[in-house]
Amino acid sequence: MTSAYPRIRKAVFPVAGLGTRFLPATKVIPKEMLTVVDKPVIQYAVDEAIEAGIEHFIFVTGRGKGAIEDHFDLAYELEATLKARGKTAELKMMQESRPKAGTASFVRQQEPLGLGHAVWCARDIVGDEPFALALPDMLIHGERGCFAQMVDVYSKHGGNVIAVEQVPHEHVNRYGVVALAEDLGNETHRITGMVEKPRIEDAPSDLIISGRYILQPGIFAKLATQKPGAGGEIQLTDAMIALMSEEDFFSYRFNGITYDCGDKIGYLTANVALALDRPDIAPKFRQILLNLIG
Ligand code: UTP
């Protein structure tokens, strides 16, 4: 689609969180490296970005997250061995899901001061252009990647685009919730406000922020002066609210199902759901599940 707006070339993946909900698994292994079926959680988000045409992958990491860097590097000995043994399918898979030389950057957050602070740490690498942001814990599964759908919306409307999904009204107090104005068609609305974890009776809608964003670089100036908010952390939502008085924000209700892999039940559900969607695994696995349930 040709567009009047600058292309989205870069994606930021904040992966510096401590993953305390998954201890002791995350004592040594970054939570983003936990596997769903046979891929680490972070790889799903990166594959989604590749599908959307992203060219540069920026990981905001922290201490003990070195495995993420190694995962996206060329495993020279492994690839040479696969080649020598004629394992062409495995080799192709490894090559397709690895960013090419010079297209992955890693920056350390140093202290986990919150998601907003993690995003701010990417400012010099992003520079003065709009960018995609994925919270990799939120694994989004569907026919077409969420980012690819969002890039279409951005190409038409520009501005900042926030992926949203509907949740039961009684759950809205757990999430960031958007307030909607004008309906622009194709599940897209102009957003007039956002609130982090509202009281159920105060929630402006049942649409929650799902962990995928297209943001303008103006967010960095807001984050630079953002005071700690909920939980004593520098909150991205607070900075987006500050930016909203100056720039357009749109919500987009994407096609796909979200699994919160930072949470045990969400992670287990993702494994079961994605295994049941795999033709090579589903027939046997379904039978095993049925037997287990009795
Ligand atoms: P979460 O709050 O879900 O991650 O942040 P967490 O803090 O690692 O999880 P728990 O609650 O202790 O189990 C959402 C995303 O933001 C990143 C996380 O890595 C995750 O991808 N994040 C969060 C950072 O990069 N830095 C932070 O300071 C906080």
Side-chain angles (χ1 to χ4, degrees):
M1 188 191 292
T2 52
S3 168
Y5 304 105
R7 214 156 59 77
I8 306 298
R9 301 186 313 121
K10 298 179 180 176
V12 174
F13 304 89
V15 291
L18 296 178
T20 53
R21 284 170 291 167
F22 255 110
L23 285 168
T26 48
K27 185 178 168 192
V28 176
I29 301 168
K31 72 169 169 179
E32 298 80 9
M33 289 303 294
L34 299 177
T35 51
V36 170
V37 187
D38 51 10
K39 277 203 294 195
V41 168
I42 182 73
Q43 182 81 59
Y44 287 90
V46 168
D47 287 349
E48 197 189 306
I50 292 172
E51 181 192 342
I54 297 295
E55 295 168 358
H56 197 112
F57 308 84
I58 302 163
F59 300 87
V60 182
T61 70
R63 285 176 63 77
K65 300 277 184 168
I68 298 175
E69 207 161 327
D70 290 343
H71 178 75
F72 290 109
D73 196 3
L74 165 65
Y76 179 76
E77 299 87 342
L78 179 59
E79 292 197 14
T81 307
L82 290 174
K83 198 171 175 194
R85 294 189 183 167
K87 293 198 175 273
T88 42
E90 288 83 353
L91 184 61
K92 187 164 176 272
M93 181 177 65
M94 299 277 290
Q95 288 170 341
E96 281 174 358
S97 58
R98 163 165 54 76
K100 302 291 168 274
T103 65
S105 298
F106 297 85
V107 60
R108 287 218 175 184
Q109 189 187 10
Q110 300 178 332
E111 276 182 277
L113 297 179
L115 172 63
H117 182 260
V119 173
W120 180 73
C121 289
R123 66 197 180 282
D124 282 351
I125 308 176
V126 171
D128 192 25
E129 58 181 285
F131 63 100
L133 168 67
L135 307 194
D137 285 2
M138 304 308 282
L139 194 162
I140 302 182
H141 186 58
E143 233 165 75
R144 186 150 180 260
C146 182
F147 268 147
Q149 299 173 48
M150 290 173 76
V151 165
D152 285 351
V153 173
Y154 165 83
S155 300
K156 195 163 172 202
H157 300 287
N160 300 265
V161 182
I162 315 286
V164 297
E165 65 185 299
Q166 187 152 25
V167 295
H169 186 62
E170 60 274 23
H171 293 171
V172 286
N173 56 343
R174 304 177 195 169
Y175 304 99
V177 181
V178 295
L180 303 185
E182 196 186 347
D183 182 348
L184 300 165
N186 181 33
E187 302 293 349
T188 308
H189 285 79
R190 189 175 288 281
I191 307 180
T192 51
M194 279 177 209
V195 47
E196 196 55 55
K197 301 189 177 65
R199 291 194 310 179
I200 292 172
E201 56 277 25
D202 296 337
S205 74
D206 294 344
L207 293 174
I208 63 153
I209 301 173
S210 299
R212 297 291 184 273
Y213 312 74
I214 288 175
L215 295 172
Q216 295 294 326
I219 197 70
F220 294 121
K222 299 298 174 201
L223 287 168
T225 55
Q226 195 62 57
K227 298 266 175 304
E233 297 195 333
I234 297 176
Q235 297 286 351
L236 178 65
T237 306
D238 293 342
M240 290 195 296
I241 293 167
L243 189 61
M244 210 170 273
S245 56
E246 299 164 20
E247 291 191 16
D248 288 333
F249 272 75
F250 305 102
S251 69
Y252 171 62
R253 210 169 141 186
F254 58 93
N255 265 313
I257 300 177
T258 310
Y259 301 98
D260 181 359
C261 291
D263 164 84
K264 286 176 193 131
I265 299 279
Y267 175 73
L268 292 169
T269 311
N271 267 289
V272 173
L274 270 68
L276 289 175
D277 205 29
R278 280 271 296 261
D280 57 331
I281 296 176
K284 252 193 191 166
F285 186 56
R286 179 174 288 109
Q287 199 49 55
I288 292 169
L289 277 182
L290 288 171
N291 292 347
L292 278 174
I293 294 164

